[in-house]
Amino acid sequence: ALSVSNNVTANKLTVKGNSSIGGSLIDSNSSFNDSCTVGKNINADKSYFAKNIEFGGTNLTLQNKSKVLGDIISTSTESVTIVIDHSIVKGIIGFTNSNSKVIIQNKGRLIGRVFNGKVEDLTGKDSYEGDDEDFAESDIAIK
């Protein structure tokens, strides 16, 4: 488990229990094997989230083959942007503020649904599968 009241900057961190971070999270090559709660923003590079993420900031960026196999819940009352850049989210993304958006780009993929927000698919193809149920686990590999 990880419990920190301030910001966390991590490289090659592995957390086996729940994570609770009061500030922002900037991580690279890290694995969070249980639920992760972050008070502010998240910037994940080549990282893995095995379960749900809840965050209170206005920005969450997943890049360079990051994976989230769970739901992402935004608790911010402000407009929020989630960027899925060459990464995969398999789960539901939910926003408190309906002016929030998910941007999918550079082979990013969202296998799930977005509630109370908009989706901008900049990949030039259908990278937002909505609530389709016909995707196998092998489909979450980033090519």
Side-chain angles (χ1 to χ4, degrees), residues 68-83:
V68 178
L69 301 182
D71 300 337
I72 299 175
I73 304 300
S74 165
T75 59
S76 176
T77 56
E78 297 179 51
S79 178
V80 173
T81 300
I82 294 176
V83 177

Side-chain angles (χ1 to χ4, degrees), residues 45-106:
D45 182 75
K46 298 180 197 166
S47 294
Y48 174 73
F49 298 85
K51 294 197 177 170
N52 299 338
I53 298 173
E54 181 179 303
F55 77 108
T58 57
N59 189 286
L60 186 156
T61 301
L62 301 167
Q63 55 194 7
N64 293 325
K65 298 185 179 183
S66 290
K67 287 185 184 179
V68 178
L69 301 182
D71 300 337
I72 299 175
I73 304 300
S74 165
T75 59
S76 176
T77 56
E78 297 179 51
S79 178
V80 173
T81 300
I82 294 176
V83 177
I84 304 171
D85 184 348
H86 200 79
S87 298
I88 287 183
V89 174
K90 185 174 184 184
I92 294 169
I93 297 177
F95 296 105
T96 301
N97 183 317
S98 63
N99 290 319
S100 299
K101 63 184 171 184
V102 177
I103 298 172
I104 305 169
Q105 61 190 27
N106 299 323

Side-chain angles (χ1 to χ4, degrees), residues 20-42:
S20 177
I21 299 165
S24 292
L25 170 64
I26 299 172
D27 69 270
S28 182
N29 298 302
S30 298
S31 294
F32 297 87
N33 295 317
D34 216 323
S35 294
C36 188
T37 303
V38 177
K40 295 186 179 171
N41 297 323
I42 300 173

Side-chain angles (χ1 to χ4, degrees), residues 123-142:
T123 64
K125 57 183 179 176
D126 184 19
S127 295
Y128 171 49
E129 278 79 12
D131 61 346
D132 292 351
E133 298 295 331
D134 55 351
F135 290 91
E137 283 294 317
S138 60
D139 287 337
I140 66 170
I142 298 176

